[in-house]
Amino acid sequence: MIVNRRELKYPIGEMDYYKVNELFKNVLTPDPNNKEYGYRIRSLYFDSIDNDDYFAKMNGEEIRKKIRLRIYDTKTNSVKLEIKRKMNINQRKETTTITKEDAIALINKDYSVLLKYDNDTAKSAYNIMTIGQYQPVVLVDYTRRAYIHNENNIRVTLDSDIKSNEFDFDMFSEDVVMSPIVDYYNALLEVKFDGELFCWISQALTGLDTTNQSLSKYCSSRRFFENYML
């Protein structure tokens, strides 16, 4: 699956979180996966031996990418392999599903397991990871509330309780010790859409105590690496 989208990101505090959650809950359709407090996402990010993707983001390069594995339950037997490409304000996400066993092989830097999948995403990931000698670099865990609108394929997400681990990459374990990526309550509001954004949504966003920023949970979670580089 390949999805081309535009994306806006807003870091928000606790009051704005509950404010926009109530707004979107009343005017948009809740994601079917939403539980009372949302649903859990765990992503394992990979980077090249030279950390090319990290530096591309930090240097503000207009064309960049990220590769990750994603699950919604540690007991799952299927894993999403995703390549996110950013081109200016537009993003492109390529997704395929692989087995838990093959995900573990990738964590152990055995890229050859991707050759068994007959799709462009797996082939592209194999080439990127082989040439760049990719390896897992950070595990990120958070809770998401999501809302959708069919017009312009609008999807609004609220991510909170964002935590990470830069040393333990066992994404299927409940025993991984995760640390908050910030020292205070915060959440990340993301708005993804095709074409143009409805004016009433834009107006709701202008009332927040924040601005659109090019934030990355991946880069924000690599604090140990960042401190080491400094």
Side-chain angles (χ1 to χ4, degrees):
M1 182 176 65
I2 297 177
V3 179
N4 294 287
R5 313 276 271 142
R6 292 187 63 187
E7 181 180 78
L8 303 174
K9 295 184 178 183
Y10 301 86
I12 57 176
E14 185 173 9
M15 294 301 294
D16 278 340
Y17 176 92
Y18 289 110
K19 174 183 175 181
V20 296
N21 184 59
E22 284 301 311
L23 169 65
F24 294 133
K25 185 164 56 176
N26 292 325
V27 299
L28 297 175
T29 302
D31 186 293
N33 295 306
N34 279 0
K35 301 182 178 66
E36 183 178 0
Y37 300 104
Y39 58 96
R40 181 183 181 188
I41 295 178
R42 176 170 282 187
S43 298
L44 178 62
Y45 288 87
F46 292 72
D47 208 337
S48 72
I49 192 171
D50 294 321
N51 291 285
D52 293 326
D53 297 342
Y54 173 85
F55 288 116
K57 169 64 177 179
M58 298 306 293
N59 293 333
E61 296 180 16
E62 293 184 345
I63 299 177
R64 53 187 185 268
K65 67 183 181 308
K66 290 194 291 280
I67 295 182
R68 69 189 179 202
L69 297 175
R70 171 165 287 188
I71 58 174
Y72 304 93
D73 183 346
T74 54
K75 297 180 176 61
T76 187
N77 289 313
S78 61
V79 181
K80 285 185 177 182
L81 169 63
E82 298 181 336
I83 307 173
K84 285 193 70 177
R85 304 181 192 270
K86 194 70 178 286
M87 294 155 279
N88 299 317
I89 62 173
N90 298 307
Q91 71 165 359
R92 173 185 174 95
K93 184 168 71 173
E94 305 167 33
T95 304
T96 189
T97 301
I98 64 175
T99 66
K100 175 180 178 179
E101 291 72 22
D102 290 341
I104 293 172
L106 288 182
I107 295 171
N108 293 319
K109 296 185 283 187
D110 178 7
Y111 320 116
S112 65
V113 295
L114 294 176
L115 296 175
K116 69 175 74 172
Y117 297 93
D118 186 21
N119 62 70
D120 291 339
T121 301
K123 293 175 183 176
S124 181
Y126 172 79
N127 290 332
I128 293 170
M129 298 178 83
T130 301
I131 294 171
Q133 299 181 57
Y134 272 57
Q135 58 192 353
V137 291
V138 66
L139 186 64
V140 181
D141 196 292
Y142 53 94
T143 299
R144 167 168 287 181
R145 280 187 167 117
Y147 301 95
I148 58 178
H149 194 294
N150 290 333
E151 288 293 329
N152 292 351
N153 197 18
I154 295 171
R155 180 174 176 82
V156 177
T157 58
L158 287 161
D159 297 338
S160 60
D161 194 24
I162 308 171
K163 300 172 290 188
S164 68
N165 188 305
E166 296 178 73
F167 308 100
D168 189 343
F169 305 130
D170 186 358
M171 66 187 307
F172 302 101
S173 172
E174 290 290 345
D175 297 326
V176 178
V177 177
M178 309 290 284
S179 300
I181 68 170
V182 290
D183 298 327
Y184 52 88
Y185 180 93
N186 97 314
L188 183 62
L189 165 64
E190 298 186 19
V191 183
K192 302 169 186 174
F193 57 98
D194 300 336
E196 299 297 326
L197 187 63
F198 288 162
C199 63
W200 63 265
I201 294 183
S202 300
Q203 291 169 355
L205 298 178
T206 58
L208 301 178
D209 184 23
T210 185
T211 56
N212 177 33
Q213 299 180 30
S214 182
L215 295 174
S216 167
K217 288 189 283 288
Y218 163 62
C219 289
S220 299
S221 298
R222 298 196 65 186
R223 293 197 300 179
F224 177 83
F225 173 76
E226 185 178 70
N227 292 335
Y228 173 77
M229 292 302 297
L230 295 176

